[in-house]
Amino acid sequence: MKPHIAVVGSINMDLVFRTPRIPAAGETLTGHSFHQIQGGKGANQAVAAARMGAELSFVACVGDDGFGTSSLRALEQDGIATNTIRQVTQCATGVAGILLDDAGQNRIVLAPGANAQLNKVDIDAAIHTLTQAQLLVCQLESPLDTVLYAIDCAKNAGLAVLLNPAPAQALEDKVLAQVDYLVLNETEASFLSGQTVTDGASAQSAAEVLQQRGANVVVITMGALGVLVAEKGNASLAYLLPAYAVNVVDTTGAGDTFVGALAVAIAEAQELRAASMFAQSAAALAVTQLGAQTSIPHRKAVEALRNSVITL
Ligand code: RIB
């Protein structure tokens, strides 16, 4: 049987400018190229989970513009049902303006558009399919009260909850206590823990703070520095998985790819270390390609990369 993942989150159209460097204030800079690519953390994570072989229940909002319609069509091409995605009338689809420099680093500005309209009624309307899933995945590009409501519904129905608190915002301890898997990058971990994360040791300290605040499993993704996985309750259950050495083209969506792949591996009852390695393999492939959903690999490629490391 396919793993079944529920995602409550955002859909954006990414407007990507490839540029030699980030322009200074007041400067006009000619870039290399422009690309319009499907994105949004919720959609990226749903697509990643679908490409890893999961069945998806995805609750989101788009506008009644061309970006919204093309986002729905793209999700359908990945086998994701769109009947729980509301097309909000007289509203723009979420847009992300992305500057991508020659080092593969990005700067993103969001205009939430229809994502800001996602509400509890949308969750209630989809509750039957949401609660059929094994795991709920959320991020913070949607209104916080809607995300917290979805988490409450999931816990009441016995689902595990994976929260990717991105973009970072303050969360109460009682929210962290509802999260089975808190998956975040070093910036978000620094913000939520008050500990600056720069390496494996500082990531472990941050994970301990987050666990003292109530989180269960904490996974901190740190790009080339690897991934810190902290299981609950025992310092010896924290370990750093080194990063793959890959040619970085664009990091956009790599964290989302990690989340989607990790969710599927957890739903398949893979042991956490193996699940994290699987997710890391998926993210490593994602950074080698331009864009968010254009870079998310399919399962066969992810398994091939992971197996090449395991058999070394
Ligand atoms: O995490 C990457 C995503 O962040 C992009 O696709 C962009 O839409 C923003 O939401």
Side-chain angles (χ1 to χ4, degrees):
M1 222 174 65
K2 279 184 166 191
H4 186 166
I5 305 296
V7 176
V8 170
S10 58
I11 296 175
N12 295 328
M13 185 60 76
D14 291 353
L15 305 180
V16 183
F17 291 83
R18 289 188 52 246
T19 172
R21 59 180 172 77
I22 303 305
E27 181 185 13
T28 299
L29 182 66
T30 301
H32 300 308
S33 58
F34 170 74
H35 308 264
Q36 185 177 308
I37 300 173
Q38 305 295 337
K41 294 183 193 304
N44 297 343
Q45 293 173 15
V47 167
R51 291 186 189 169
M52 298 308 131
E55 177 185 346
L56 264 295
S57 296
F58 182 27
V59 185
C61 286
V62 292
D64 58 351
D65 51 8
F67 287 168
T69 303
S70 69
S71 298
L72 295 176
R73 296 297 86 81
L75 291 165
E76 284 161 3
Q77 278 173 13
D78 269 297
I80 298 172
T82 54
N83 59 328
T84 48
I85 299 174
R86 181 161 59 96
Q87 197 153 16
V88 184
T89 49
Q90 294 195 313
C91 187
T93 296
V95 170
I98 302 181
L99 292 181
L100 174 67
D101 70 18
D102 281 349
Q105 297 302 317
N106 61 39
R107 309 279 195 289
I108 303 180
V109 180
L110 284 179
N115 294 309
Q117 304 299 318
L118 188 71
N119 59 36
K120 295 177 185 179
V121 177
D122 295 310
I123 305 299
D124 285 341
I127 200 71
H128 180 69
T129 174
L130 280 181
T131 54
Q132 300 290 311
Q134 292 144 284
L135 184 83
L136 171 71
V137 175
C138 299
Q139 329 74 35
L140 300 180
E141 282 184 349
S142 306
L144 185 60
D145 60 339
T146 307
V147 172
L148 299 185
Y149 182 67
I151 290 174
D152 275 345
C153 292
K155 295 308 282 185
N156 289 338
L159 274 68
V161 170
L162 187 161
L163 176 65
N164 172 224
Q169 60 177 287
L171 293 173
E172 293 183 41
D173 292 0
K174 68 178 184 199
V175 174
L176 295 180
Q178 285 185 297
V179 175
D180 300 283
Y181 302 93
L182 186 69
V183 184
L184 64 181
N185 68 19
E186 61 270 59
T187 309
E188 293 139 9
S190 301
F191 176 82
L192 281 176
S193 70
Q195 311 271 313
T196 304
V197 174
T198 54
D199 56 14
S202 53
Q204 188 171 342
S205 303
E208 282 166 13
V209 171
L210 293 168
Q211 289 180 326
Q212 282 156 13
R213 291 192 53 201
N216 190 357
V217 170
V218 176
V219 179
I220 302 179
T221 57
M222 298 182 288
L225 293 175
V227 176
L228 186 283
V229 182
E231 301 191 18
K232 181 93 180 197
N234 182 340
S236 65
L237 283 179
Y239 42 86
L240 182 69
L241 300 174
Y244 288 91
V246 289
N247 178 37
V248 177
V249 171
D250 182 5
T251 57
T252 310
D256 299 329
T257 303
F258 184 97
V259 166
L262 182 69
V264 172
I266 290 169
E268 290 173 342
Q270 291 190 35
E271 181 260 333
L272 189 58
R273 183 186 287 265
S276 303
M277 286 175 65
F278 177 72
Q280 208 179 8
S281 306
L285 289 170
V287 300
T288 65
Q289 306 293 326
L290 176 73
Q293 286 168 41
T294 44
S295 72
I296 299 171
H298 287 82
R299 182 161 190 141
K300 209 170 159 193
V302 175
E303 287 180 341
L305 178 61
R306 184 204 52 191
N307 294 344
S308 73
V309 174
I310 287 174
T311 53
L312 280 179

